[in-house]
Amino acid sequence: MAYKRARMGKRSPNKAKRRRDVTARTENLKLSGGKSVLWGLIGAYLLTMGGLLLCSLLLDWGILSGTQNQYVLLVMIISLISVFVGSFVAARMSGEEGWKYGLITGILYLVIRFFISWLINGADIFMGKFWLESASCLAMSGLGAILGKKKINK
């Protein structure tokens, strides 16, 4: 019994060293907010382009078929998954206050997407369900930011 009490009071130097090493590694991985948002946006748009390319190939080969409303829904799902992943990446890379950078990533994704849509479609920028897309995009970016945020022990 006395052995257990004496052992409980002492901390292993290896355990303390491992804690410092893990903290140092997570501090090194932490990026500034702007860089993490940029990496989140790059990841989100790469995922969007890959998903849209895959869907267009499947449509061209005749594997995928449906109505125009189903295509709009498919594009919306691809965008939501992309903004979730981008916000998750931004929150994970920023470390502290990841939710804020994840939401900024979602807002910038939405603004850039609507700007590109305006460039391609002209004045018909709001041809889709604008409010539904905006609200769902912000909700997914918030969810990705919350799940991507990691706690850093100091």
Side-chain angles (χ1 to χ4, degrees), residues 14 16-28:
N14 290 336
K17 184 179 179 200
R18 276 186 274 150
R19 250 189 226 135
R20 282 193 305 269
D21 290 344
V22 168
T23 304
R25 275 186 276 153
T26 55
E27 288 294 324
N28 290 338

Side-chain angles (χ1 to χ4, degrees), residues 45-114:
Y45 275 108
L46 285 177
L47 190 61
T48 301
M49 287 189 316
L52 292 178
L53 180 66
L54 178 69
C55 288
S56 66
L57 287 174
L58 292 176
L59 281 169
D60 190 44
W61 293 334
I63 297 171
L64 195 62
S65 63
T67 64
Q68 185 174 357
N69 287 337
Q70 291 171 337
Y71 297 147
V72 170
L73 181 65
L74 184 63
V75 169
M76 190 172 169
I77 289 172
I78 290 170
S79 296
L80 292 178
I81 291 171
S82 298
V83 78
F84 174 82
V85 170
S87 296
F88 185 89
V89 167
R92 180 61 58 143
M93 291 178 84
S94 69
E96 294 180 16
E97 296 183 354
W99 59 272
K100 179 171 68 172
Y101 297 116
L103 280 174
I104 290 171
T105 303
I107 291 169
L108 287 176
Y109 179 89
L110 193 63
V111 167
I112 293 170
R113 183 166 167 242
F114 281 130

